[in-house]
Amino acid sequence: MAKYTKRSEDYSKWYNEVIERAGLAEHSDVRGCMVIKPYGFAIWENIKEVLDKRFKETGHSNAYFPLLIPKSYLNKEAQHVEGFAKECAVVTHYRLKNDKDNRLIVDPEAKLEEELIIRPTSETIIWNSFKNWIQSYRDLPLKVNQWANVVRWEMRTRLFLRTSEFLWQEGHTAHTTRKEAVEEAELMLKVYAEFAEQYMAMPVVRGVKTESERFAGADETFCIEALMQDGKALQAGTSHFLGQNFSKAFDVKFADKAGKLENVWATSWGVSTRLIGGLIMTHSDDEGLVLPPKLAPIQVAIVPIYKNEDQLNAISKKVDALRNQLQDKGISVKYDDDDNRRPGWKFAEYEAKGVPVRIAIGPRDLENNKAEVARRDTKEKEIVDWAGISDHISNLLTDIQENLFQRAQTFNAENTTEVDSYEKFKETIEQKGGFISAHWDGTIESENKIKEETKATIRCIPLNNKVEEGKCIYSGKPSKQRVLFAKAY
Amino acid sequence: MAKYTKRSEDYSKWYNEVIERAGLAEHSDVRGCMVIKPYGFAIWENIKEVLDKRFKETGHSNAYFPLLIPKSYLNKEAQHVEGFAKECAVVTHYRLKNDKDNRLIVDPEAKLEEELIIRPTSETIIWNSFKNWIQSYRDLPLKVNQWANVVRWEMRTRLFLRTSEFLWQEGHTAHTTRKEAVEEAELMLKVYAEFAEQYMAMPVVRGVKTESERFAGADETFCIEALMQDGKALQAGTSHFLGQNFSKAFDVKFADKAGKLENVWATSWGVSTRLIGGLIMTHSDDEGLVLPPKLAPIQVAIVPIYKNEDQLNAISKKVDALRNQLQDKGISVKYDDDDNRRPGWKFAEYEAKGVPVRIAIGPRDLENNKAEVARRDTKEKEIVDWAGISDHISNLLTDIQENLFQRAQTFNAENTTEVDSYEKFKETIEQKGGFISAHWDGTIESENKIKEETKATIRCIPLNNKVEEGKCIYSGKPSKQRVLFAKAY
């Protein structure tokens, strides 16, 4: 099999090759829409399962709202329409027909009175429902989540990172007080951050967006930002405090205990299939995909090495017991005894698929009561005694998960630079990339100029920021804290 | 709370009231699209969980294909386009803009070169991918499933039963031989039938559709048909043997072991949120929703009856232990100690929500070490000793599940009528409804005439049919078996 393009040569080409060889996804004929292949979708299912459980533990219920949104809804919240109208798919007709030459055309008589938008996000249609669901403080808090597909018509698309259609979850909540809504937005950011670090093994910076980077319709956007291996940042999840913007736009009020009517306070928050792009770019290497064990569809692949059926049978019998032991520990195992493929092909396949641990066992191993165990992250191999091998594997998976996180954290630390001059800033963005921590005067003007001149944007104002007197790298005006810049996906 | 409309008075009105009071779903402002509310969605999640597990056990993987399908794809399979072009949502533009009067309009400059259809079903887009995934017999069988939303522009809609957008799963498989594909279609029908009977407690007839009722593009459509309380049939699931229709339309061939190229054989199969409509109509009564325990989001509701905080604390302490015991058995419990609502309100609420078992416990019960246990299906109440109550509840849930199935089966038996004359047929359809088992000559002409004159359609030719000489009730021509007629949803 041909080698991968090296990351250092062409990161973008490497990224596409990793996805293709692992069988994660592919472009469809429809502009910017991808097909998520079974192996890629299995990763998404693992992500969903963990997050869904956390959402429920934190008091949210799933529901489902319509895919199609009347055009006029979008128009109700001024900033929101500004943010989404320019990139939405519009349904104008509800029927096709054959013309006189028997060509399939849109039936002009089946024109909708009001055009419908395919949801780019569901605030508007959900708040239109919330209006009927909320009357009194007794109905609050209302905490709903939806797993859904959304469409944003993107001109430049990349598999997982930016596609016209993508899968995501969107949480939407309503509260009696501003304080409670802000706490909810912060809580969900915490859920996302912990998921990113503990499951994806992807370190993130927790922060808030500047005004110009906020969600269209939010008063505050919290975010988690991760650093990819090419020094570019990836916005991995956002949680918005929406204030009363949508409750005012859709006239959603509740009666408090004294019977007084007030607009409710709102949040929304989401993560998407983009996370899979982050997962790929955080861990994978020049030999293909590397997956953290906690999200790997196959955690352990076992490959028998044999010359005849007797040998295979003897190995299979032995492996059966191990497989049961591992499965009892909740470890997902694939025993690959497909006779159509050679062991070398299988080794390459599981390497490309980022399977964390591969076990090979042949007649010699059988004799010696041993097996060869290879880990994907460091590519180390060892010969392991069969006795106690299941505990060994279980510990190894924990080690790999930790190692991937440590490795990524070290990378982040090495690629986060404090700079105090615009010269140094430009030089760092140009030559090294990564996160740049620098003072900023808080104005949109400086932010825009820096973006124009360097393509770096303010990824966030970190939540753990300390107060520090300084001068804006661009304007020289006084600043009280550093913010985090980077070029971003 | 006002009583429900009685089923005998207005079944359709009753159906809507049950859905509304249980908080299952509601109409949205978008024509024919529904909002599935949290409680309704929780039922769908339970359905999904069971089916998804069965699909995986039978060797299928989930994947995800684009929502939007190029118009030309639909045109590739002649029957398919015939079946779906007349009711599809068409995307023609990808941007909105403000006109000079600042109104939000479709941007005429953002017109798509080729219109896109929102998937009504995904055969075409999936077979377009399969073309790239299948080269040799080694790639087969290919067994993929997708959980997704689809849109079919329906003129008359009813919550869950017929909506313009609905949620479903669609399995799509490719095989080397006709035999294997037919077996797959039959296997998935079995999975559906067992799910309907063992989880939904809804008896079904397994059968095949007549040619005129087949899926657009199928060589054979297998189905499960259920009987609702108003004597109308509900098609609850279908599994299609697609022959080589789609593999020919999309030119999907595989090399067999000898290297010879052949078109693959295909199936597709699906069930949808329509199942929730079937669930409601099979079991619910004039006091609202009744749910089979295996799919109930809340299996046991516990309501404390108290006059002061001390009493509540004592009850809560006692209930805590029971709750743990029940949860350890995998039983979902809601302990409702909401102080804003009175016990009577709660009783009515859990009745309306179809919660299978309700436990009430007050200070007197505490003293006597007992509790009142009420079952939703028969509305029977009993006083149960606290010792061993968790086993009692567990057994009771099993009883309720069985009772619901038995009750529905008895109803089906009583409402399935064998008739041998057209007069009797018309009389039965008119006065009694239900399934009618009658001889049919096998022609589309007789089938259409019967449909025209009585609104009854052939639901299926039952799979377990015995050969029996007879005469078509319509034409009097000879017939070798009975088929099942009914008016249907």
Side-chain angles (χ1 to χ4, degrees), chain A residues 29 45 62 64 73 92 165, chain B residues 29 45 62 64 73 92 165:
Chain A
D29 288 357
E45 286 183 300
N62 289 329
Y64 188 76
Y73 282 25
T92 55
E165 182 190 14
Chain B
D29 287 357
E45 285 183 299
N62 288 329
Y64 188 77
Y73 282 26
T92 56
E165 182 190 13

Side-chain angles (χ1 to χ4, degrees), chain B residues 239-268:
Chain B
S239 179
H240 316 293
F241 167 62
L242 301 174
Q244 295 177 314
N245 301 330
F246 286 91
S247 74
K248 283 179 179 164
F250 287 86
D251 192 28
V252 184
K253 290 180 175 160
F254 73 98
D256 68 13
K257 287 195 181 179
K260 206 179 116 220
L261 284 179
E262 281 194 67
N263 279 108
V264 304
W265 298 87
T267 80
S268 69

Side-chain angles (χ1 to χ4, degrees), chain A residues 33-96:
Chain A
C33 294
M34 66 176 163
V35 174
I36 307 179
K37 298 177 80 172
Y39 192 65
F41 199 81
I43 297 174
W44 182 239
E45 286 183 300
N46 288 344
I47 291 174
K48 273 181 78 167
E49 189 185 343
V50 177
L51 284 175
D52 196 69
K53 188 157 173 275
R54 282 296 288 146
F55 297 159
K56 285 174 179 158
E57 284 167 358
T58 47
H60 304 86
S61 302
N62 289 329
Y64 188 76
F65 296 84
L67 170 74
L68 300 171
I69 300 179
K71 190 185 66 179
S72 57
Y73 282 25
L74 208 60
N75 220 2
K76 289 195 182 182
E77 214 287 330
Q79 293 187 319
H80 196 69
V81 66
E82 190 66 24
F84 291 105
K86 284 173 206 137
E87 50 176 31
C88 60
V90 190
V91 177
T92 55
H93 293 74
Y94 56 86
R95 194 163 58 221
L96 299 173

Side-chain angles (χ1 to χ4, degrees), chain A residues 26 28-31 33-39 41-42 45 48 52 56 61-75 81-82 85-98 102-106 112 115-119 125 128-129 132-133 137-139 142 144 147 149 151 153 155 165 167 257 340-341, chain B residues 26 28-31 33-39 41-42 45 48 52 56 61-75 81-82 85-98 102-106 112 115-119 125 128-129 132-133 137-139 142 144 147 149 151 153 155 165 167 257 340-341:
Chain A
E26 64 189 24
S28 78
D29 288 357
V30 183
R31 248 197 64 77
C33 294
M34 66 176 163
V35 174
I36 307 179
K37 298 177 80 172
Y39 192 65
F41 199 81
E45 286 183 300
K48 273 181 78 167
D52 196 69
K56 285 174 179 158
S61 302
N62 289 329
Y64 188 76
F65 296 84
L67 170 74
L68 300 171
I69 300 179
K71 190 185 66 179
S72 57
Y73 282 25
L74 208 60
N75 220 2
V81 66
E82 190 66 24
K86 284 173 206 137
E87 50 176 31
C88 60
V90 190
V91 177
T92 55
H93 293 74
Y94 56 86
R95 194 163 58 221
L96 299 173
K97 68 164 197 174
N98 288 309
N102 212 26
R103 282 176 313 200
L104 192 62
I105 60 162
V106 175
L112 291 171
E115 295 89 353
L116 300 169
I117 309 306
I118 298 184
R119 62 180 164 224
I125 194 129
N128 195 63
S129 286
N132 303 320
W133 298 4
Y137 70 93
R138 283 192 196 88
D139 304 318
L142 179 59
V144 169
W147 291 95
N149 52 344
V151 172
W153 210 261
M155 283 302 149
E165 182 190 14
L167 302 183
K257 286 196 181 177
N340 289 317
R341 308 288 192 185
Chain B
E26 63 190 24
S28 78
D29 287 357
V30 184
R31 248 197 67 77
C33 294
M34 67 176 162
V35 175
I36 307 180
K37 299 178 79 172
Y39 192 66
F41 199 80
E45 285 183 299
K48 273 180 79 166
D52 195 69
K56 284 173 179 159
S61 303
N62 288 329
Y64 188 77
F65 296 85
L67 171 73
L68 300 171
I69 300 179
K71 189 184 68 178
S72 57
Y73 282 26
L74 208 59
N75 220 3
V81 66
E82 189 68 25
K86 283 173 206 138
E87 51 174 31
C88 61
V90 190
V91 178
T92 56
H93 292 76
Y94 57 85
R95 192 163 62 220
L96 298 175
K97 69 165 195 173
N98 289 306
N102 211 28
R103 282 174 312 199
L104 191 63
I105 60 162
V106 176
L112 291 170
E115 294 89 352
L116 300 169
I117 307 307
I118 299 182
R119 61 181 163 222
I125 194 128
N128 195 61
S129 286
N132 302 321
W133 298 5
Y137 70 93
R138 283 192 197 84
D139 304 316
L142 179 58
V144 169
W147 291 95
N149 52 344
V151 172
W153 209 261
M155 283 302 150
E165 182 190 13
L167 303 182
K257 287 195 181 179
N340 288 316
R341 307 288 191 184

